[in-house]
Amino acid sequence: NTNHNDTTTTTPNNKPSSSPSNKFFSIGIDRIQLEQDTGKTTTTTTHNNQNNSQTSYIDFNRAGSTLIEIVFLPQIHSAYEAASVVSTLQKLLRYLGTCDGKMEEGSLRCDVNISIAPINPTTTNDTTTSG
């Protein structure tokens, strides 16, 4: 079991100057694990007068390459914080020599999960409402 209080990364908040706060904040890390890349699928659509057709291509060039997955706790509360975390992580990985951090080449990829749950839910009977 991971102790969430001990595993945090502190990052500068890269908010624009018009934002009210330029403070540092901490983000907890749930886990870090190694995985293997499975490859890349690309789908293209061809348009012509009579119909559209899709073709899928599978690129196995990266298959089997080691990936490091870092899963953060759900403590990011804005797009500015998310961008700051990714930027700081990119700088750290480059500094450590772990990867070049080139997102456009796939060296660093980010998956984002967004909660649409109410911020302060209150439960009455079997219904949940914002409160």
Side-chain angles (χ1 to χ4, degrees):
N1 246 349
T2 304
N3 182 343
H4 301 299
N5 295 329
D6 293 337
T7 312
T8 60
T9 182
T10 303
T11 179
N13 195 342
N14 288 337
K15 291 185 178 182
S17 57
S18 61
S19 296
S21 174
N22 286 320
K23 298 178 182 177
F24 282 85
F25 59 96
S26 294
I27 301 295
I29 296 175
D30 183 49
R31 65 186 172 277
I32 300 175
Q33 59 194 30
L34 295 176
E35 295 182 350
Q36 287 187 348
D37 200 331
T38 58
K40 180 181 178 182
T41 303
T42 305
T43 302
T44 60
T45 303
T46 305
H47 303 282
N48 60 34
N49 293 337
Q50 297 174 353
N51 62 6
N52 296 331
S53 63
Q54 287 190 334
T55 305
S56 294
Y57 300 95
I58 302 174
D59 180 357
F60 289 111
N61 287 325
R62 297 189 305 207
S65 297
T66 304
L67 300 176
I68 299 172
E69 181 182 39
I70 303 171
V71 179
F72 291 95
L73 292 173
Q75 298 172 329
I76 300 172
H77 301 290
S78 70
Y80 296 116
E81 287 181 2
S84 180
V85 169
V86 172
S87 174
T88 302
L89 181 62
Q90 183 183 44
K91 290 173 189 171
L92 177 64
L93 295 173
R94 285 178 176 164
Y95 176 79
L96 294 173
T98 305
C99 74
D100 60 15
K102 295 180 180 177
M103 296 183 81
E104 63 280 1
E105 295 178 8
S107 302
L108 179 63
R109 292 177 260 168
C110 300
D111 295 331
V112 179
N113 299 307
I114 300 171
S115 173
I116 58 171
I119 294 174
N120 295 314
T122 58
T123 305
T124 54
N125 298 332
D126 292 330
T127 32
T128 302
T129 59
S130 301

